């Protein structure tokens, strides 16, 4: 009983910010190098944990062996590879070493850099064996009450034989709130502290604890990222501002551009990675704020069957299935299938939607050096188009936040599918080849009376009938070679790639046709759909070829340089036609070099100081021309960034960055001929970001971020220099924290608490109205036991009124009131 009370005090105290030192003193592991206290040992025995009392590494006939001495039977460990490290996790165990709470051994063999043994949480021990050129192999056997690991040679892939336990790649979600690896920034699996750029990872654990099903909600914990709106109405789909710049075309899935006009589901994602700043060297043309890379769930070597059901207010329901496992006894053929269906309502009158997701993946290890992964995804979406609350000359109109001013028949719908494969072959430990191919097709339709003009005197909101449809097809393929070699004492990892994209777009439009107005203070809906007769058509083909070269150079163990350059060639052939008139043709060809450089210095192992310079380019729309009929030059971007990355502990990291971004060649109206534009504009974004991620104490997880951002017009012919960019707050803060009781009768019970703050933001580039600041509080209550979990999530706990984003014209989107969802999940 006393143990339960103590755990509850710790739980409430942590989340409320109260002093909790007495509880921490009993449950936290001893500091490095100190002897194990009698009280801590007694607590571990009371929890029924097996104590590992000794770690020995000796040489034997089969190679080096690592022995664990224990005071009882140890559970069979699970093995995984992360980068060059073999990870061995032992459950229901803890460390009780005479020398302290950790064991480290540097360079036990010529091809193994480090062996470390340390506690993970209160009931798990992790062994990390890091190879110099790849993860080592290992066999596991019982020795009395302990275990012996026979450490074999390092290999670039896991190998299987009669006397070798297969090493399973289980994905990065095992790292909880503090992932340490990412491939988004460099194209190779690289520790985040060795990357001289800002990369923020939103792991699966955070997505699950917050029970968010859409990418937009998942990104709320990312620094410098805010919604750009566009749900169901934009030609780019729902977007995001990253460091002040719209991410148009900047969403990728496993490194390949992922286009969709529908909100993206997070149900088949392992995690979300945000690379801040220009990213053209690996991702081609794009905005200078950064890119978002969605990392898919991968097939598992062991059977896993998980299902969940979520029910929320506003008549919202969601069911999810996630199944995976081997298809052959040797586990060389594995599959994963994610299925999700959602039927959701809204606090907004007449607004609702449905979403279907089917996402299969098949992985095949053809040989120990060759593998291929086939994947597909089908999504279907339908939801009511809602432009929110209108804006007048005096600002946002004061009407109830649930009031809907479009029509209930207006909707967005889209059917989309992706098909592709990823192939990898390793010629040797130092040379590998990758090849990817993907075909994507989607057919969106938008059918709605859009806001047109607002008369504040009469309260009448003019509307116009709008329809957009068509088919979009995108083909992508690339080939990459990765080589590792030394020049003297300097180590190199070189990435060379060639990429080809072909985009075909055939949209059709109907717009500018008056539809009956509606009074915003006393709405009367017509509920009469208009006839669809598209009269404006486009037929576009865009081809791009990219060639890129990057070298990750280790000059010294604590001094690393990254240098790279990309050449892009882009050709646009676009045609437009108004029904009954001749077709117009436009052709535009652009090319550009995009370099980047980064330097990392590590004065001590857990701390990285870095500086970087990165660039981007984005071709202008091919059907837009100068007054003299010539094409516009591409927009360009550049960023200078300085930062610090520090691992406070093995489970807690802090990242800090200062940056300055400029986007140049921005089109701005010609003051002498307003029907045309000049490329004399420039916008700037500068600021700082601070984030903290990981585990503070066993069971206590945290992700927090703060951003200060000054995003403004630095050159223009029309807008005043110094005007702040629309929808970009000066200050942004987020915090999400959970605590789960680790032992006793209440083991598995946990609470979550979240805070989300955005300061005042201009609603448009003229800065004529403002979206007010808001501070939102979220909470969660959950309980997990064995293979099942129940949770209750509360968003906007105190039911505040707030606005999330402005479309910069007539509509702003109100935030949801108190939203409640309950979820039950089971895993087999």
């Amino acid at each position: 009983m006393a143990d339960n009370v103590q755990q509850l005090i710790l739980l409430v105290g942590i989340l409320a910010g109260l002093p909790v030192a007495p509880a921490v003193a009993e449950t936290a592991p001893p500091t490095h190098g100190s002897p194990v206290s009698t009280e801590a040992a007694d607590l571990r025995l009371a929890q029924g944990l097996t104590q590992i009392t000794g770690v020995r590494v000796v040489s034997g006939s089969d190679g080096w062996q690592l022995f664990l001495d224990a005071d009882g039977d140890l559970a069979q460990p699970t093995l995984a590879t992360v980068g060059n490290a073999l990870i061995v996790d032992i459950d229901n165990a803890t460390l009780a070493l005479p020398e302290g709470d950790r064991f480290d051994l540097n360079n036990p063999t010529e091809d193994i850099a480090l062996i470390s043994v340390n506690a993970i949480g209160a009931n798990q021990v992790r062994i990390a064996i890091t190879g110099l050129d790849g993860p080592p192999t290992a066999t596991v056997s019982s020795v009395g009450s302990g275990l012996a690991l026979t450490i074999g040679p390092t290999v670039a892939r896991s190998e299987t034989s009669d006397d070798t336990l297969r090493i399973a790649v289980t994905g990065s979600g095992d790292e909880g709130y503090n992932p340490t690896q990412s491939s988004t920034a460099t194209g190779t699996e690289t520790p985040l502290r060795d990357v001289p750029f800002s990369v923020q990872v939103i792991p699966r654990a955070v997505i699950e604890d917050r029970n968010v099903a859409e990418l937009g909600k998942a990104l709320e914990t990312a620094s410098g990222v805010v919604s750009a709106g566009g749900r169901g109405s934009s030609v780019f789909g729902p977007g995001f501002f990253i460091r002040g710049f719209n991410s148009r075309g900047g969403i990728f899935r496993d490194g390949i551009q992922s286009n969709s006009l529908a909100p993206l589901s997070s149900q088949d994602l392992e995690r979300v990675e945000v690379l801040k700043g220009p990213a053209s060297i690996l991702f081609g043309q794009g905005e200078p704020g950064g890119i978002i890379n969605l990392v898919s769930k991968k097939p598992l070597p062991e059977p896993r069957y998980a299902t969940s059901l979520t029910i929320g207010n506003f008549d919202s329901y969601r069911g999810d299935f996630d199944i995976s496992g081997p298809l052959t006894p040797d586990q060389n053929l594995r599959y994963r299938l994610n299925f999700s269906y959602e039927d959701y309502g809204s606090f907004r009158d007449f607004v609702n939607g449905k979403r279907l997701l089917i996402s299969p993946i098949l992985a095949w290890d053809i040989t120990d050096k060759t593998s291929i992964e086939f994947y597909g995804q089908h999504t279907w979406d339908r939801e009511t188009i809602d432009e929110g609350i209108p804006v007048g000359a005096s600002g946002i109109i004061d009407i109830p936040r649930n009031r809907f001013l479009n029509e209930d028949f207006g909707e967005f719908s889209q059917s989309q599918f992706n098909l592709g494969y990823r192939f990898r072959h390793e010629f040797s430990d130092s040379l590998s080849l990758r090849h990817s191919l993907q075909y994507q097709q989607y057919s969106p339709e938008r059918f709605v009376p859009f806001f047109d003009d607002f008369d504040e005197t009469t309260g009448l909101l003019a509307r116009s009938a709008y329809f957009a449809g068509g088919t979009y097809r995108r083909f992508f393929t690339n080939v990459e070679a990765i080589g590792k070699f030394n020049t003297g004492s300097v180590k190199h990892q070189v990435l060379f790639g060639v990429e080809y994209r072909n985009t075909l777009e055939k949209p059709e439009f109907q717009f500018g046709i008056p539809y009956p107005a509606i009074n915003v203070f006393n709405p009367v809906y017509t509920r009469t759909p208009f006839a669809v007769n598209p009269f404006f058509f486009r037929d576009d083909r865009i081809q791009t070829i990219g060639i890129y070269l990057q070298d990750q150079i280790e000059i010294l163990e604590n001094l690393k340089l990254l240098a790279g350059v990309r050449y892009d060639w882009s050709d646009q052939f676009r045609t437009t036609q108004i029904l009954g008139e001749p077709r117009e043709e436009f052709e535009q060809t652009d090319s550009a070099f995009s370099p980047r450089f980064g330097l990392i210095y590590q004065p001590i192992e857990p701390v990285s100081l870095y500086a970087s310079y990165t660039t981007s380019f984005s071709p202008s729309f091919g059907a837009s021309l100068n007054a003299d009929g010539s094409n516009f030059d591409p927009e360009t971007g550049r960023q200078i960034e300085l930062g610090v990355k520090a691992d406070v502990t093995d489970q807690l990291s802090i990242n800090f960055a200062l940056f300055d971004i400029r986007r140049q060649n921005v089109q701005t109206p010609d003051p002498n001929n307003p029907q045309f534009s000049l490329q004399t504009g420039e916008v700037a974004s500068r600021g700082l970001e601070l984030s903290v991620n990981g585990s503070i104490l066993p069971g206590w997880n945290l992700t927090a971020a703060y951003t200060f951002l000054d995003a403004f017009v630095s050159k223009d012919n029309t807008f005043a220099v110094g005007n702040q960019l629309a929808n970009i707050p000066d200050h942004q803060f987020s915090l999400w924290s959970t605590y789960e009781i680790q032992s006793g009768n209440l083991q598995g019970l946990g609470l979550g608490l979240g805070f989300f703050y955005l300061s005042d933001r201009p609603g448009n580039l003229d800065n004529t109205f403002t979206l007010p600041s808001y501070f939102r509080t979220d909470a969660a209550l959950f309980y997990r036991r064995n293979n099942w979990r129940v949770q209750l999530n509360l968003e906007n706990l105190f039911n505040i009124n707030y606005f999330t984003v402005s479309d910069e014209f007539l509509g702003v989107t109100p935030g949801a009131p108190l939203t409640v969802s309950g979820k039950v999940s089971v895993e087999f």
Side-chain angles (χ1 to χ4, degrees):
M1 181 65 181
D3 180 63
N4 293 338
V5 173
Q6 187 81 357
Q7 295 280 6
L8 280 174
I9 292 173
L10 177 63
L11 171 64
V12 176
I14 285 174
L15 294 177
L18 300 176
V20 291
V24 173
E26 288 192 15
T27 59
T31 57
H32 178 60
S34 63
V36 180
S37 67
T38 303
E39 292 83 3
D42 291 343
L43 179 59
R44 289 165 176 166
L45 288 171
Q47 293 173 342
L49 301 178
T50 301
Q51 298 186 82
I52 296 174
T53 57
V55 180
R56 295 173 288 124
V57 178
V58 299
S59 179
S61 59
D62 296 329
W64 287 82
Q65 291 183 307
L66 185 145
F67 292 92
L68 302 180
D69 301 321
D71 63 359
D73 293 332
L74 289 171
Q76 179 73 8
T78 59
L79 291 84
T81 56
V82 178
N84 285 357
L86 168 67
I87 305 298
V88 183
D89 287 336
I90 305 172
D91 293 330
N92 299 318
T94 187
L95 288 180
L97 304 178
E99 64 269 23
D101 67 332
R102 186 183 180 102
F103 173 89
D104 290 298
L105 181 62
N106 292 302
N107 301 117
T109 71
E110 63 180 11
D111 59 352
I112 295 178
L114 174 67
I115 297 176
S116 65
V117 184
N118 63 290
I120 302 296
N123 59 357
Q124 188 181 70
V125 171
R126 172 167 293 177
I127 305 166
I129 307 168
T130 304
L132 291 173
D133 298 316
T137 58
T139 59
V140 181
S141 57
S142 297
V143 180
S145 59
L147 289 174
L149 276 76
T150 301
I151 305 165
T154 60
V155 293
R157 288 188 49 77
S158 57
E159 296 181 351
T160 303
S161 65
D162 293 340
D163 57 356
T164 301
L165 181 65
R166 182 180 182 84
I167 299 171
V169 181
T170 59
S172 56
D174 296 337
E175 295 182 283
Y177 274 45
N178 188 33
T180 59
Q181 299 271 339
S182 171
S183 63
T184 296
T186 63
T188 62
E189 285 294 335
T190 304
L192 286 171
R193 67 182 182 188
D194 290 346
V195 175
F197 316 106
S198 291
V199 182
Q200 185 156 4
V201 179
I202 302 165
R204 188 70 208 173
V206 175
I207 295 172
E208 292 283 358
D209 288 348
R210 295 188 60 222
N211 193 22
V212 293
E214 284 187 10
L215 177 61
K217 285 295 182 182
L219 287 168
E220 288 182 323
T221 57
S223 60
V225 180
V226 295
S227 172
R231 190 181 186 106
S233 58
S234 168
V235 294
F236 299 101
F240 306 94
F241 292 105
I242 307 176
R243 288 185 171 175
F245 297 99
N246 203 306
S247 64
R248 288 185 292 259
I251 298 179
F252 293 75
R253 188 181 186 94
D254 299 318
I256 301 175
Q257 190 174 33
S258 178
N259 298 87
S260 174
L261 272 63
L264 294 173
S265 172
S266 62
Q267 293 307 113
D268 59 347
L269 301 180
E270 187 62 48
R271 58 185 188 171
V272 179
E273 300 182 351
V274 184
L275 172 60
K276 313 291 183 62
S280 281
I281 186 170
L282 292 184
F283 298 97
Q285 54 190 274
E287 296 290 319
I291 64 98
I292 299 164
N293 188 32
L294 314 179
V295 180
S296 302
K297 293 178 180 178
K298 301 298 183 183
L300 303 175
E302 301 296 333
R304 179 182 186 271
Y305 310 98
T307 183
S308 65
L309 175 65
T310 299
I311 299 176
N313 57 346
F314 311 120
D315 295 324
S316 296
Y317 309 90
R318 187 178 79 245
D320 304 306
F321 295 91
D322 181 2
I323 59 177
S324 184
L327 293 173
T328 57
D330 60 6
Q331 299 177 329
N332 284 339
L333 190 62
R334 304 173 301 280
Y335 77 96
R336 191 155 192 171
L337 176 64
N338 277 269
F339 173 88
S340 178
Y341 179 75
E342 186 173 5
D343 189 330
Y344 54 92
S346 170
F347 69 99
R348 300 276 293 164
D349 294 340
F350 313 117
V351 175
N352 54 64
K354 296 180 181 181
R355 178 184 299 119
L356 171 69
L357 166 73
I358 304 173
S359 185
I361 303 180
L362 184 68
W364 180 22
D365 294 338
I366 303 171
T367 70
D368 61 348
K369 294 184 179 296
T370 306
S371 63
I372 191 167
E373 185 177 271
F374 299 95
Y375 63 89
Q377 185 192 62
H378 170 67
T379 60
W380 174 81
D381 294 81
R382 187 215 63 79
E383 69 177 18
T384 310
I385 294 180
D386 175 18
E387 291 184 273
I389 294 177
V391 175
S394 57
I396 301 171
I397 304 304
D398 185 16
I399 57 176
R401 61 180 165 183
N402 65 306
R403 184 163 296 169
F404 173 73
L405 296 170
N406 296 102
E407 291 285 338
D408 60 2
F409 62 80
E411 70 173 28
F412 163 83
S413 63
Q414 176 180 279
S415 178
Q416 174 173 318
F417 71 88
N418 303 340
L419 292 173
Y421 67 79
R422 289 178 283 267
F423 172 84
R424 182 182 179 95
H425 176 72
E426 296 174 359
F427 297 97
S428 66
D429 292 346
S430 58
L431 180 62
S432 60
L433 184 73
R434 301 189 304 215
H435 170 50
S436 298
L437 182 145
Q438 176 178 284
Y439 175 77
Q440 181 185 62
Q441 179 174 312
Y442 55 101
S443 301
E445 286 194 356
R446 288 163 287 159
F447 175 70
V448 64
F450 268 152
F451 295 176
D452 197 6
D453 190 30
F454 179 61
D455 188 331
E456 286 189 86
T457 303
T458 63
L460 288 178
L461 177 65
R463 300 179 295 179
S464 62
Y466 178 86
F467 171 82
T471 302
Y472 299 76
R473 298 180 176 90
R474 303 179 187 274
F475 175 81
F476 171 95
T477 186
N478 76 341
V479 178
E480 294 180 328
I482 301 173
K484 299 178 183 179
F485 60 91
N486 296 343
T487 54
S489 61
V490 178
K491 298 179 180 179
H492 299 263
Q493 182 172 214
V494 175
L495 170 68
F496 174 75
V498 179
E499 172 190 298
Y500 173 74
R501 303 183 197 182
N502 191 348
T503 299
L504 300 174
E505 300 181 348
K506 292 188 176 183
E508 54 186 24
F509 302 92
Q510 171 183 322
F511 50 85
I513 301 173
Y515 189 85
I518 192 170
N519 191 302
V520 302
F521 302 110
N522 184 26
V524 177
Y525 304 96
T526 67
R527 291 188 166 86
T528 304
F530 53 86
V532 174
N533 295 298
F535 60 82
F536 183 80
F537 305 89
R538 286 201 350 247
D539 190 348
D540 301 342
R541 186 204 67 221
I542 306 99
Q543 297 183 89
T544 62
I545 296 174
I547 303 173
Y548 46 98
L549 178 67
Q550 172 187 277
D551 192 3
Q552 294 174 259
I553 307 169
E554 184 177 307
I555 303 170
L556 301 169
E557 286 189 5
N558 65 342
L559 183 63
K560 302 175 177 70
L561 172 68
L562 185 148
V565 65
R566 179 182 178 116
Y567 174 77
D568 275 289
W569 175 86
S570 173
D571 178 73
Q572 303 180 55
F573 181 76
R574 300 180 183 270
T575 70
T576 63
Q577 182 178 28
I578 297 175
L579 191 65
E581 297 184 9
R583 182 179 295 271
E584 292 189 73
E585 296 183 352
F586 305 86
E587 188 164 11
Q588 176 174 319
T589 301
D590 298 293
S591 61
F593 284 96
S594 302
R596 73 170 176 178
F597 307 94
L599 186 68
I600 286 271
Y601 173 64
Q602 296 164 328
I604 57 176
E605 185 180 358
V607 176
S608 296
L609 311 177
Y610 72 89
S612 62
Y613 173 85
T614 57
T615 60
S616 68
F617 97 106
S618 181
S620 64
F621 185 68
S624 299
L625 302 176
N626 283 297
D628 61 3
S630 62
N631 299 121
F632 288 110
D633 294 329
E635 288 187 354
T636 59
R638 68 98 178 124
Q639 174 186 264
I640 299 171
E641 182 176 36
L642 302 173
V644 181
K645 302 180 182 184
D647 294 332
V648 180
T649 68
D650 288 340
Q651 289 82 44
L652 186 67
S653 298
I654 295 178
N655 300 281
F656 175 78
L658 295 168
F659 56 88
D660 183 288
I661 307 175
R662 303 290 164 135
R663 186 175 73 183
Q664 297 153 334
N665 286 344
V666 177
Q667 296 180 33
T668 183
D670 184 345
N672 299 319
N673 192 349
Q675 292 183 340
F676 294 93
S677 297
L678 299 174
Q679 282 192 293
T680 58
E682 180 188 83
V683 292
S685 172
R686 58 195 180 193
L688 63 87
E689 293 173 345
L690 175 66
S691 63
V692 182
N693 302 282
S695 176
I696 299 175
L697 292 171
W700 183 12
N701 295 317
L702 171 77
T703 178
Y706 168 74
T707 304
F708 167 74
L709 192 60
D710 182 18
F712 60 95
V713 176
S714 48
K715 295 180 183 178
D716 205 276
N717 294 324
T718 302
F719 298 102
V721 172
N723 272 17
Q724 298 298 296
L725 301 187
N727 289 299
I728 309 303
D730 291 339
H731 302 277
Q732 177 187 1
F733 172 75
S734 67
L735 180 148
W736 174 259
S737 181
T738 63
Y739 180 73
E740 181 179 339
I741 294 175
Q742 299 294 291
S743 62
N745 294 333
L746 297 179
Q747 180 180 355
L749 179 65
L751 287 178
L753 189 63
F755 302 116
F756 301 90
Y757 170 76
L758 266 67
S759 62
D760 291 347
R761 297 140 287 152
N764 57 18
L765 199 53
D766 284 316
N767 291 184
T768 56
F769 74 96
T770 299
L771 298 179
S773 65
Y774 69 85
F775 188 98
R776 194 187 83 212
T777 303
D778 295 356
L781 175 67
F782 59 89
Y783 179 72
R784 74 175 98 216
R785 177 66 70 178
N786 299 323
N787 64 329
W788 61 273
R789 167 174 170 151
V790 294
Q791 66 186 86
L792 181 71
N793 288 82
L794 307 172
E795 180 183 312
N796 197 1
L797 182 63
F798 299 111
N799 199 28
I800 64 167
N801 282 295
Y802 69 102
F803 298 96
T804 59
V805 66
S806 163
D807 67 7
E808 300 187 46
F809 297 102
L810 279 178
V812 297
T813 301
L818 172 63
T819 303
V820 182
S821 65
K823 179 179 178 180
V824 179
S825 56
V826 183
E827 181 176 332
F828 304 97

